Structure formats: structure tokens, C-alpha cells
């Protein structure tokens, strides 16, 4: 008697799992925890409502958001990096005269009842993210943190900052003001460590720039709301409509678009950046920050030089484009230099920097103040030629300055007598020649190493990112000469994140198994040559 053919193994497994064809299969994974979370949320809802009534719903929302963000960061520390980036791109450092919602979020400052803490919420976020990154690396037996190629320039500069703190406090500096002055320099270092240790995949880099594009779109829409619906298109007596640092992020989007057109057309982000361009341009022009137009010209020139070197077959079109764009730009400036209206604002801004005598009364007063301020800063350096003035003290005023603000309790009234507009000279004045050299050594190392990395990269998108970071660094320096740039937390954190990202780019071209940091080896195993410094 012939036997029936044996059933396939897959069928046998299926029928062993489900002996009855009408039986209900087990629930999918994740459904039960979802129901538990839903029931727990419903159970806690009355308690949350009572807590909101007693202490305020905004505080309850903030606590819940902090709790959820903490869970995400504990599971995936890289989420902390992108949360930090989102805060930098979306939230103002200080409240604005025209409130737009994001300026009321306590990210870069505390509410009045919590003012005076040594660290700001954004600082706690970065420190917590670094702590969780260290915990994850310990669990995998990796070095605690990697410092990367810029660790020694950073450490040299931070040692000079520490000397400036000690010298300032020993000669009468105020401790609270010292902490305020040093904090952005500390954030620059923290942001660098975050990016260098947490960015490990190409998709992280792409996501970084998606954040930048959509962040600029959101702020551009906020600027359009202020311009059209709050001010009704009238910028009379308006020095700016948004925060000063916002214009820098707007021109950085223009730089991204130009790089996509010149170096590598990554179409999804190029089309997205072009789509958000109208509100970004409107908000940029309405915000009236002159230094950012000059910085954009410098950034485009740096990008053009790199593309000219990297793409020999495009040199003739690049030269032709340079001639055409320069002619159009000069023609626009000449035509609108003395014009009125928003369309002429960039031309007037450029002329006011090149020829201050041709600017309006507002710009002439601003130029006069900055000239007097620079003179006072140089004089202060001359009186303290060895160690600088140190932190926490007002710089000397042989040429008295008018009072620009008298309502900042953190600085005892007028912050501009401690942190001037020219934050490049601010570093010089506080740290003296040694600290000033260490500062330029750090920036120089970032630019030079970035150039070497750009030449070595083969992936077009990563090469574009490298050129962008170098150009942004040069733009940051240009704005820092005139517009308080190195004291804006958002700007220095963004620069630090970009610096860490740039130093990480060469690893992203390697196979995935080589991107992860090396495990800690036992003494019996051969130890590979170290190409970078690890902080252990």
C-alpha cells in the first residue's frame, strides 16, 4: 500500500502552531504593550488634569515631554543629538518683542522662578545625551568617548579659557557673569563631542540636513506671519523682526541650494530647499541683518573655490557663472543702493558695510558704535598684554559708549559692556594673545582638516557636506566680527555639531563594520594603530 506524500516542513510547522484552522492566531507583538500604555494613560489622565490645575498645565506638559525625551535618549542616544539640533533650529535664545510661541519655550533660558541655575535646559540635554552615550559604549566595551582630530585644538583652547576664568575671578571678576560668558564656549565643545560620537551612518547626515531645511521653512513662515499679519508689511522703526541669529540660518539654506546646484544635485533636498525659499527670503530681508549678507558672499566664494578645485571639467562654466553673477550682483547693488522698500534692503545693507558714509542714519549710528567699541577693546588688550582682562569684568572705555540696554539682570544692566558685538575681539580681550592664538588654531584646524577630508572623500553627498561645513565656519567668523555671534548659543552649538559631523565623514565611507569604534582589547590581543584620540 503506497503511503501518502509527506507534507512540506513549512506546512507541518504551520499546522502544529494552528491545529484548528478556525482558531484565532495569537496577537501580534507590540499590541499588548500598546493596550497597557493606553490603559495606563487613561488611568493617569485625571491625575494629570489635577496636577495641571494646581501647578499649571504648561509645567505638566514640560514634565511629560522631558520624560518622553529622556526615555528616547536612554534607548537611542542619537535622538538627543537631533533633539538638540531641533532646539537650535526652532527655538529662540531669548523672548522676542513680538511673541511667536517658540520664543516662550524654556530651552535656552529658565522661567523667572528658576533663574540662576548654573546650567540651562539645553546644557542639561547635551550632558544627559553624552552620559547615555557613555553608558551605551560601556555596555558594548567601547572607549568612553572619542575625541577625534580636533580634540587637541579644543583642549588647548579650553585650557586658555580656564586660565581666563581664574585670572578674571582673581582680579575682581563676577562669578555669575563669568559663567554666562564661558557657557557658549563650553557648548561649542559639548556639541562637537555629541556629533563626533553619535553620528555613525550616512542617513544621520541626510537627516541632519532635512532638519536644517524644514527648520528654516518653519522659521521663515514665522517671519512671514510677523511681517504680513502683525506689522502689515510696515518695517518702519523695526531694527529686526526676529532674533539676530535667525538670519544666519536663513543664509545657510541659500548656501545649501547653491552647493546643490554647483557640486552635487541631491534632488530630494534640493527641491525641498527650493520649495521653502520664498518664505525664507521674505523673513531674511525683513530681519535686516547686514552682516549675514556679507557672510553669504564669503561662504559662496569659499564654496566656489572648492568646487573649482574638485571639478576640473566645470572650471570654464564656473568662471562664466562667476562673471555673470558678479555682473548681476554689482548691477543690483548699484541700482538699488539708494532705493527704498524691502527689495532694496540687501543692496543698502551691503553698501552700508562697504561705504558707511552712504548708509542711512540708523546704520551710521550702528557703525559709529562698533568703531568706538572696537577701539575700546583694542585699548583694553593693550593694557593687559599678557593674560588679557579675564572673564567677568567690564572692558575699559577710553571712548565712552552709549547705553544700548539697561534691563538685563544677568549682566547687571548692560550686557554689551561685557560681551561686545565683535566677539572675535571679545576672545582676544578676555584671553590675551595666547588664548587668541589657540582660538584661531582651533578654527584653522577645522578648516584645514576639513579641506583634507573634502579632497579624500569620494561620496558626492558627503563631499558636499564637507564643503558646506567649511563655508559655514568662514561665515561664522565673518558675522562674529560684527554681530555678537559667538555668544549666541544656537550658533555655537550648530557650529560644534557641524565640526563633529565633518570630522566623522571619512568613517562613513567605510563598510558598516568599520564605522563602529574599536572594542577595548585585552592585553593578549594585538593593539591596532590609533588614528584618533579616545577620551577614556
Amino acid at each position: 500500500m503506497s503511503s501518502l506524500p509527506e507534507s512540506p516542513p513549512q506546512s507541518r510547522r504551520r499546522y502544529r502552531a494552528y491545529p484548528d484552522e478556525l482558531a484565532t492566531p495569537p496577537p501580534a507583538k507590540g499590541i499588548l504593550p500598546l493596550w497597557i500604555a493606553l490603559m495606563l494613560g487613561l488611568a493617569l489622565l485625571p491625575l494629570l488634569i489635577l496636577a495641571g490645575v494646581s501647578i499649571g498645565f504648561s509645567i505638566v506638559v514640560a514634565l511629560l515631554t522631558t520624560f518622553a525625551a529622556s526615555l528616547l535618549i536612554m534607548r537611542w542616544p542619537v535622538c538627543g543629538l537631533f533633539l538638540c539640533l531641533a532646539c537650535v533650529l526652532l527655538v529662540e535664545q531669548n523672548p522676542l518683542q513680538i511673541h511667536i510661541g517658540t520664543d516662550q519655550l524654556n530651552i535656552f533660558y529658565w522661567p523667572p522662578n528658576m533663574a540662576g541655575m548654573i546650567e540651562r535646559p539645553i546644557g542639561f540635554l547635551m550632558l544627559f545625551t553624552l552620559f547615555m552615550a557613555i553608558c551605551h559604549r560601556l555596555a558594548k566595551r567601547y572607549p568612553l568617548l572619542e575625541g577625534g582630530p580636533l580634540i587637541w585644538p579644543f583642549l588647548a583652547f579650553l585650557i586658555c579659557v580656564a586660565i581666563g576664568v581664574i585670572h578674571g575671578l582673581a582680579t575682581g571678576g563676577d562669578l555669575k557673569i563669568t559663567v554666562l560668558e564661558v557657557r557658549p564656549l563650553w557648548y561649542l565643545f559639548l556639541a562637537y563631542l555629541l556629533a563626533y560620537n553619535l553620528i555613525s551612518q550616512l542617513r544621520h547626515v541626510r537627516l541632519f540636513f532635512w532638519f536644517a531645511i524644514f527648520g528654516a521653512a518653519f522659521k521663515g513662515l514665522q517671519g512671514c506671519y510677523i511681517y504680513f499679519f502683525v506689522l502689515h508689511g510696515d518695517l518702519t522703526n523695526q531694527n529686526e523682526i526676529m532674533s539676530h541669529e535667525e538670519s544666519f540660518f536663513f543664509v545657510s539654506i541659500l548656501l545649501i541650494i547653491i552647493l546643490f546646484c554647483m557640486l552635487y544635485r541631491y534632488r530630494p533636498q534640493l527641491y525641498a530647499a527650493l520649495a521653502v525659499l520664498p518664505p525664507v527670503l521674505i523673513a531674511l530681508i525683513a530681519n535686516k541683518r547686514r552682516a549675514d549678507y556679507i557672510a553669504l558672499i564669503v561662504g559662496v566664494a569659499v564654496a566656489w573655490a572648492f568646487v573649482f578645485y574638485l571639478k576640473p571639467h566645470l572650471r570654464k562654466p564656473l568662471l562664466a557663472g562667476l562673471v555673470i553673477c558678479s555682473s548681476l550682483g554689482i548691477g543690483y547693488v548699484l541700482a538699488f543702493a539708494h532705493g527704498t522698500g524691502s527689495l532694496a534692503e540687501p543692496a543698502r545693507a551691503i553698501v552700508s558695510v562697504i561705504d558707511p558714509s552712504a548708509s542711512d542714519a540708523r546704520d551710521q549710528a550702528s557703525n559709529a558704535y562698533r568703531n568706538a567699541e572696537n577701539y575700546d577693546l583694542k585699548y583694553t588688550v593693550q593694557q593687559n598684554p599678557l593674560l588679557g582682562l579675564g572673564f567677568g569684568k567690564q572692558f575699559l572705555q577710553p571712548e565712552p559708549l552709549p547705553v544700548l540696554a539697561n534691563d538685563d539682570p544677568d549682566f547687571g544692566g548692560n550686557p554689551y559692556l561685557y560681551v561686545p558685538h565683535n566677539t572675535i575681539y571679545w576672545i582676544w580681550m578676555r584671553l590675551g594673545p595666547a588664548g587668541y592664538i589657540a582660538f584661531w588654531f582651533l578654527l584653522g584646524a577645522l578648516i584645514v582638516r576639513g579641506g583634507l577630508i573634502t579632497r579624500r572623500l569620494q561620496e558626492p553627498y558627503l563631499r558636499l557636506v564637507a564643503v558646506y561645513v567649511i563655508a559655514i565656519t568662514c561665515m561664522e567668523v565673518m558675522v562674529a566680527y560684527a554681530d555678537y555671534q559667538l555668544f549666541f548659543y544656537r550658533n555655537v552649538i550648530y557650529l560644534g555639531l557641524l565640526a563633529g559631523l565633518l570630522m566623522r565623514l571619512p568613517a562613513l565611507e567605510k563598510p558598516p563594520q568599520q564605522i563602529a569604534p574599536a572594542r577595548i582589547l585585552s592585553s593578549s590581543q594585538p593593539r591596532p594603530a590609533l588614528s584618533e584620540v579616545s577620551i577614556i
Side-chain angles (χ1 to χ4, degrees):
M1 184 176 179
S2 61
S3 60
L4 293 174
E6 188 175 353
S7 301
Q10 185 176 359
S11 299
R12 289 204 306 271
R13 285 197 300 268
R14 177 168 58 86
Y15 279 101
R16 279 200 298 270
Y18 306 105
D20 185 359
E21 292 185 1
L22 299 179
T24 303
K29 290 183 178 180
I31 297 296
L32 190 60
L34 180 62
W35 276 105
I36 293 176
L38 180 61
M39 297 303 294
L40 184 61
L42 291 175
L44 292 177
L45 185 60
L47 296 178
L48 294 176
I49 293 175
L50 290 175
V53 171
S54 59
I55 65 175
F57 287 98
S58 60
I59 296 178
V60 172
V61 172
L63 291 175
L64 289 176
T65 304
T66 303
F67 178 71
S70 300
L71 291 179
L72 282 174
I73 295 170
M74 285 189 286
R75 178 62 183 88
W76 301 287
V78 72
C79 292
L81 182 147
F82 286 106
L83 181 58
C84 177
L85 177 62
C87 292
V88 165
L89 296 171
L90 299 176
V91 182
E92 283 73 16
Q93 179 170 321
N94 296 298
L96 303 177
Q97 292 182 351
I98 302 173
H99 296 317
I100 53 176
T102 50
D103 66 315
Q104 300 295 298
L105 298 178
N106 297 121
I107 300 296
F108 296 98
Y109 64 94
W110 290 106
N113 59 340
M114 300 180 66
M117 296 188 67
I118 193 170
E119 191 52 273
R120 303 291 172 96
I122 189 67
F124 283 125
L125 171 61
M126 289 193 286
L127 289 172
F128 179 71
T129 303
L130 275 177
F131 174 72
M132 295 314 304
I134 291 172
C135 292
H136 278 250
R137 295 171 73 89
L138 279 175
K140 298 175 182 178
R141 301 189 64 207
Y142 294 161
L144 298 187
L145 287 176
E146 292 177 316
L150 291 183
I151 187 63
W152 295 117
F154 261 113
L155 290 180
F157 177 63
L158 290 177
I159 289 172
C160 293
V161 171
I163 294 173
V165 169
I166 297 171
H167 174 57
L169 294 176
T171 54
D174 183 89
L175 176 60
K176 181 180 178 180
I177 295 176
T178 298
V179 172
L180 290 172
E181 287 193 85
V182 171
R183 183 177 287 126
L185 307 177
W186 168 241
Y187 285 173
L188 178 68
F189 179 61
L190 286 183
Y192 168 77
L193 287 181
L194 271 179
Y196 189 78
N197 286 275
L198 292 176
I199 291 178
S200 59
Q201 301 177 33
L202 176 60
R203 63 189 180 96
H204 291 161
V205 182
R206 295 194 194 277
L207 185 59
F208 190 102
F209 284 88
W210 280 119
F211 269 70
I213 292 170
F214 287 114
F218 181 78
K219 304 309 288 186
L221 291 174
Q222 285 184 320
C224 290
Y225 165 75
I226 295 173
Y227 179 66
F228 289 112
F229 296 99
V230 177
L231 301 177
H232 305 289
D234 184 12
L235 295 177
T236 306
N237 299 323
Q238 293 289 331
N239 291 333
E240 65 274 331
I241 64 170
M242 305 180 77
S243 59
H244 285 207
E245 66 270 20
E246 213 65 71
S247 294
F248 187 82
F249 294 108
F250 290 150
V251 297
S252 71
I253 294 301
L254 300 182
L255 177 65
I256 288 177
I257 294 174
I258 292 170
L259 278 171
F260 279 141
C261 294
M262 287 197 306
L263 187 57
Y264 172 63
R265 294 188 181 181
Y266 181 58
R267 287 180 172 81
Q269 290 185 346
L270 171 60
Y271 295 156
L274 290 174
V276 308
L277 187 58
V280 165
L281 284 177
I282 293 172
L284 171 64
I285 293 172
N287 209 34
K288 295 184 177 182
R289 306 317 304 168
R290 296 179 295 164
D292 292 290
Y293 295 115
I294 304 299
L296 178 60
I297 295 173
V298 171
V300 172
V302 172
W304 184 92
F306 270 94
V307 177
F308 188 85
Y309 172 77
L310 295 172
K311 300 280 189 179
H313 62 283
L314 293 180
R315 288 177 181 176
K316 288 184 179 179
L318 284 171
L319 288 173
L322 176 64
V323 173
I324 294 172
C325 292
S326 300
S327 301
L328 292 175
I330 293 173
Y332 162 75
V333 171
L334 293 177
F336 290 90
H338 303 288
T340 58
S342 299
L343 184 61
E345 178 63 32
R348 293 196 303 267
I350 293 173
V351 169
S352 68
V353 174
I354 298 174
D355 184 12
S357 62
S359 56
D360 57 22
R362 168 184 170 274
D363 290 339
Q364 287 183 4
S366 178
N367 291 334
Y369 181 92
R370 282 165 168 77
N371 291 335
E373 187 180 65
N374 289 341
Y375 176 82
D376 289 344
L377 292 171
K378 293 176 183 177
Y379 178 83
T380 303
V381 171
Q382 292 172 358
Q383 305 309 308
N384 303 270
L386 192 59
L387 295 177
L389 184 64
F391 289 100
K393 298 180 288 183
Q394 294 185 7
F395 57 83
L396 305 178
Q397 295 184 63
E399 186 170 338
L401 298 172
V403 177
L404 296 184
N406 199 24
D407 57 353
D408 192 328
D410 292 334
F411 285 93
N414 191 353
Y416 297 100
L417 300 182
Y418 295 91
V419 183
H421 290 82
N422 189 334
T423 45
I424 299 294
Y425 282 6
W426 168 61
I427 297 292
W428 187 20
M429 179 265 296
R430 291 300 184 200
L431 303 183
Y436 197 48
I437 292 173
F439 170 73
W440 282 112
F441 176 61
L442 172 61
L443 293 180
L446 173 58
I447 294 172
V448 172
R449 285 187 176 274
L452 296 175
I453 289 172
T454 303
R455 187 176 65 176
R456 191 164 69 245
L457 290 171
Q458 299 299 319
E459 166 65 37
Y461 187 81
L462 296 183
R463 179 179 281 185
L464 179 145
V465 170
V467 175
Y468 171 81
V469 177
I470 297 170
I472 284 291
T473 304
C474 297
M475 292 168 60
E476 185 81 20
V477 171
M478 288 301 301
V479 181
Y481 268 108
D483 206 14
Y484 219 53
Q485 191 80 348
L486 295 179
F487 192 71
F488 290 142
Y489 301 153
R490 297 171 66 192
N491 289 117
V492 294
I493 293 173
Y494 189 66
L495 179 62
L497 292 175
L498 288 176
L501 184 151
L502 175 62
M503 296 299 114
R504 198 62 175 165
L505 291 183
L508 302 185
E509 283 199 322
K510 298 178 181 179
Q513 65 269 19
Q514 297 184 25
I515 294 177
R519 293 178 180 273
I520 298 177
L521 303 174
S522 63
S523 57
S524 60
Q525 293 177 297
R527 189 173 298 274
L530 294 178
S531 59
E532 58 190 17
V533 179
S534 296
I535 303 175
I536 300 178

